mmCIF file of all heavy atoms in Angstrom:
data_model
loop_
_atom_site.group_PDB
_atom_site.id
_atom_site.type_symbol
_atom_site.label_atom_id
_atom_site.label_comp_id
_atom_site.label_asym_id
_atom_site.label_seq_id
_atom_site.Cartn_x
_atom_site.Cartn_y
_atom_site.Cartn_z
ATOM 1 N N GLY A 34 159.947 271.406 229.269
ATOM 2 C CA GLY A 34 160.515 270.404 228.369
ATOM 3 C C GLY A 34 161.027 271.011 227.078
ATOM 4 O O GLY A 34 162.088 270.633 226.579
ATOM 5 N N GLN A 35 160.243 271.952 226.529
ATOM 6 C CA GLN A 35 160.668 272.629 225.307
ATOM 7 C C GLN A 35 161.954 273.417 225.535
ATOM 8 O O GLN A 35 162.846 273.421 224.690
ATOM 9 C CB GLN A 35 159.571 273.566 224.812
ATOM 10 C CG GLN A 35 159.942 274.338 223.552
ATOM 11 C CD GLN A 35 158.877 275.340 223.145
ATOM 12 O OE1 GLN A 35 157.771 275.315 223.654
ATOM 13 N NE2 GLN A 35 159.227 276.225 222.226
ATOM 14 N N ALA A 36 162.047 274.096 226.683
ATOM 15 C CA ALA A 36 163.231 274.899 226.986
ATOM 16 C C ALA A 36 164.476 274.021 227.099
ATOM 17 O O ALA A 36 165.535 274.344 226.552
ATOM 18 C CB ALA A 36 163.014 275.695 228.269
ATOM 19 N N ILE A 37 164.348 272.904 227.802
ATOM 20 C CA ILE A 37 165.496 272.021 228.007
ATOM 21 C C ILE A 37 165.950 271.398 226.691
ATOM 22 O O ILE A 37 167.136 271.414 226.345
ATOM 23 C CB ILE A 37 165.157 270.922 229.037
ATOM 24 C CG1 ILE A 37 164.923 271.556 230.417
ATOM 25 C CG2 ILE A 37 166.266 269.882 229.113
ATOM 26 C CD1 ILE A 37 164.390 270.588 231.455
ATOM 27 N N SER A 38 165.004 270.848 225.951
ATOM 28 C CA SER A 38 165.365 270.189 224.693
ATOM 29 C C SER A 38 165.801 271.201 223.641
ATOM 30 O O SER A 38 166.724 270.946 222.858
ATOM 31 C CB SER A 38 164.191 269.365 224.170
ATOM 32 O OG SER A 38 163.037 270.181 223.993
ATOM 33 N N GLY A 39 165.143 272.381 223.639
ATOM 34 C CA GLY A 39 165.522 273.410 222.678
ATOM 35 C C GLY A 39 166.923 273.929 222.907
ATOM 36 O O GLY A 39 167.699 274.126 221.968
ATOM 37 N N LEU A 40 167.257 274.170 224.175
ATOM 38 C CA LEU A 40 168.603 274.630 224.514
ATOM 39 C C LEU A 40 169.648 273.590 224.131
ATOM 40 O O LEU A 40 170.714 273.931 223.591
ATOM 41 C CB LEU A 40 168.692 274.927 226.006
ATOM 42 C CG LEU A 40 170.063 275.359 226.522
ATOM 43 C CD1 LEU A 40 170.530 276.650 225.864
ATOM 44 C CD2 LEU A 40 170.037 275.516 228.053
ATOM 45 N N ALA A 41 169.332 272.324 224.386
ATOM 46 C CA ALA A 41 170.273 271.259 224.015
ATOM 47 C C ALA A 41 170.506 271.232 222.510
ATOM 48 O O ALA A 41 171.649 271.074 222.041
ATOM 49 C CB ALA A 41 169.738 269.905 224.490
ATOM 50 N N GLY A 42 169.432 271.423 221.736
ATOM 51 C CA GLY A 42 169.570 271.448 220.281
ATOM 52 C C GLY A 42 170.381 272.623 219.787
ATOM 53 O O GLY A 42 171.240 272.488 218.901
ATOM 54 N N VAL A 43 170.122 273.807 220.348
ATOM 55 C CA VAL A 43 170.856 275.009 219.950
ATOM 56 C C VAL A 43 172.343 274.866 220.278
ATOM 57 O O VAL A 43 173.213 275.206 219.457
ATOM 58 C CB VAL A 43 170.261 276.252 220.655
ATOM 59 C CG1 VAL A 43 171.206 277.445 220.533
ATOM 60 C CG2 VAL A 43 168.904 276.599 220.074
ATOM 61 N N ASN A 44 172.650 274.345 221.450
ATOM 62 C CA ASN A 44 174.055 274.185 221.834
ATOM 63 C C ASN A 44 174.751 273.086 221.043
ATOM 64 O O ASN A 44 175.956 273.178 220.789
ATOM 65 C CB ASN A 44 174.158 273.923 223.340
ATOM 66 C CG ASN A 44 174.009 275.194 224.164
ATOM 67 O OD1 ASN A 44 174.258 276.300 223.662
ATOM 68 N ND2 ASN A 44 173.604 275.056 225.412
ATOM 69 N N ALA A 45 174.001 272.071 220.656
ATOM 70 C CA ALA A 45 174.588 271.036 219.793
ATOM 71 C C ALA A 45 174.969 271.630 218.437
ATOM 72 O O ALA A 45 176.054 271.334 217.893
ATOM 73 C CB ALA A 45 173.606 269.882 219.619
ATOM 74 N N ASP A 46 174.092 272.465 217.884
ATOM 75 C CA ASP A 46 174.407 273.125 216.611
ATOM 76 C C ASP A 46 175.594 274.071 216.772
ATOM 77 O O ASP A 46 176.434 274.187 215.865
ATOM 78 C CB ASP A 46 173.190 273.912 216.107
ATOM 79 C CG ASP A 46 172.043 272.986 215.685
ATOM 80 O OD1 ASP A 46 172.310 271.798 215.420
ATOM 81 O OD2 ASP A 46 170.894 273.462 215.630
ATOM 82 N N ALA A 47 175.658 274.760 217.928
ATOM 83 C CA ALA A 47 176.768 275.681 218.178
ATOM 84 C C ALA A 47 178.093 274.919 218.261
ATOM 85 O O ALA A 47 179.120 275.379 217.731
ATOM 86 C CB ALA A 47 176.518 276.461 219.470
ATOM 87 N N ARG A 48 178.096 273.774 218.925
ATOM 88 C CA ARG A 48 179.329 272.971 219.009
ATOM 89 C C ARG A 48 179.776 272.522 217.624
ATOM 90 O O ARG A 48 180.967 272.562 217.290
ATOM 91 C CB ARG A 48 179.100 271.745 219.897
ATOM 92 C CG ARG A 48 179.088 272.038 221.384
ATOM 93 C CD ARG A 48 179.219 270.756 222.202
ATOM 94 N NE ARG A 48 178.163 269.791 221.883
ATOM 95 C CZ ARG A 48 176.989 269.768 222.502
ATOM 96 N NH1 ARG A 48 176.716 270.632 223.474
ATOM 97 N NH2 ARG A 48 176.084 268.863 222.185
ATOM 98 N N ASP A 49 178.820 272.074 216.814
ATOM 99 C CA ASP A 49 179.162 271.612 215.475
ATOM 100 C C ASP A 49 179.745 272.730 214.621
ATOM 101 O O ASP A 49 180.593 272.485 213.749
ATOM 102 C CB ASP A 49 177.911 271.039 214.774
ATOM 103 C CG ASP A 49 177.424 269.767 215.446
ATOM 104 O OD1 ASP A 49 178.228 269.136 216.180
ATOM 105 O OD2 ASP A 49 176.245 269.406 215.250
ATOM 106 N N ALA A 50 179.257 273.964 214.851
ATOM 107 C CA ALA A 50 179.731 275.100 214.071
ATOM 108 C C ALA A 50 180.931 275.787 214.721
ATOM 109 O O ALA A 50 181.439 276.790 214.190
ATOM 110 C CB ALA A 50 178.594 276.105 213.890
ATOM 111 N N GLY A 51 181.390 275.281 215.861
ATOM 112 C CA GLY A 51 182.518 275.887 216.544
ATOM 113 C C GLY A 51 182.202 277.212 217.188
ATOM 114 O O GLY A 51 183.078 278.056 217.372
#
Side-chain angles (χ1 to χ4, degrees):
Q35 179 185 347
I37 294 172
S38 57
L40 177 61
V43 166
N44 281 336
D46 292 340
R48 283 195 303 271
D49 293 341

